[in-house]
Amino acid sequence: MAAKDRDRFSTATRIRLLGEQTAARVYRSQTRRQARRSRLTGRAAFLALVVCSLVVALAYPMRSYVSQQGEIAEQERRAAEAARRVEELKDEKARLQDPAYVRRLAREHLHYVLPGETGFTVNDPDAEQRPRADQGAADRPWYDNLWDGVDHADRP
């Protein structure tokens, strides 16, 4: 027993026991950490995979939805504008049914006068000093004027 007690208190025995205890603690903590880390990492990877697949699956339909909402808004704006224009044209049509309105338009725009009336045209004395917008057309070749007419034909 004396040899056993001596062995128990020797430095080499104590160091060996400390090393074994430390190794056991490290091994236990590593296995716990690995088990916990691997379980958490697997769940996180699966969750990330599910989230990524949902994002990929929903990306195109959401983009289509947003673009279609923009197109719907644009079409509604155009429909409202067309309805407003239809109302304006209905009002104009109703006004054109009135003979007095047609007569007034003819007098203003076409310079018509009724029988027995005298028509006057007043010339503006300052018109000679003001530059004309189409004065340059006479200085250009005929084909430039023709081409400008073609270009301006589509403009409102």
Side-chain angles (χ1 to χ4, degrees), residues 97-143:
Q97 299 298 323
D98 183 22
Y101 180 73
V102 174
R103 193 175 303 123
R104 183 176 65 100
L105 286 178
R107 291 174 72 114
E108 286 177 4
H109 296 289
L110 302 175
H111 304 288
Y112 279 14
V113 291
L114 294 175
E117 293 180 350
T118 305
F120 293 97
T121 303
V122 179
N123 292 328
D124 186 11
D126 297 329
E128 293 176 5
Q129 283 82 22
R130 280 186 264 149
R132 293 179 57 191
D134 61 337
Q135 192 172 10
D139 298 335
R140 297 186 306 178
W142 65 269
Y143 49 84

Side-chain angles (χ1 to χ4, degrees), residues 31-58:
T31 56
R32 264 191 258 140
R33 236 185 268 145
Q34 285 175 352
R36 198 173 17 180
R37 186 179 300 147
S38 66
R39 193 171 55 224
L40 183 63
T41 305
R43 287 180 184 170
F46 182 71
L47 180 63
L49 180 68
V50 168
V51 168
C52 288
S53 62
L54 284 175
V55 166
V56 168
L58 295 176

Side-chain angles (χ1 to χ4, degrees), residues 7 9-17:
D7 222 19
F9 293 111
S10 72
T11 307
T13 306
R14 276 191 272 163
I15 290 175
R16 188 175 39 86
L17 281 173

Side-chain angles (χ1 to χ4, degrees), residues 29-87:
S29 68
Q30 282 180 350
T31 56
R32 264 191 258 140
R33 236 185 268 145
Q34 285 175 352
R36 198 173 17 180
R37 186 179 300 147
S38 66
R39 193 171 55 224
L40 183 63
T41 305
R43 287 180 184 170
F46 182 71
L47 180 63
L49 180 68
V50 168
V51 168
C52 288
S53 62
L54 284 175
V55 166
V56 168
L58 295 176
Y60 182 74
M62 286 303 292
R63 188 178 68 186
S64 297
Y65 174 77
V66 169
S67 66
Q68 287 173 359
Q69 289 298 319
E71 290 174 8
I72 288 171
E74 176 67 20
Q75 292 298 327
E76 287 175 349
R77 185 193 61 79
R78 285 184 182 175
E81 185 178 320
R84 182 189 53 80
R85 181 72 177 135
V86 165
E87 289 300 318

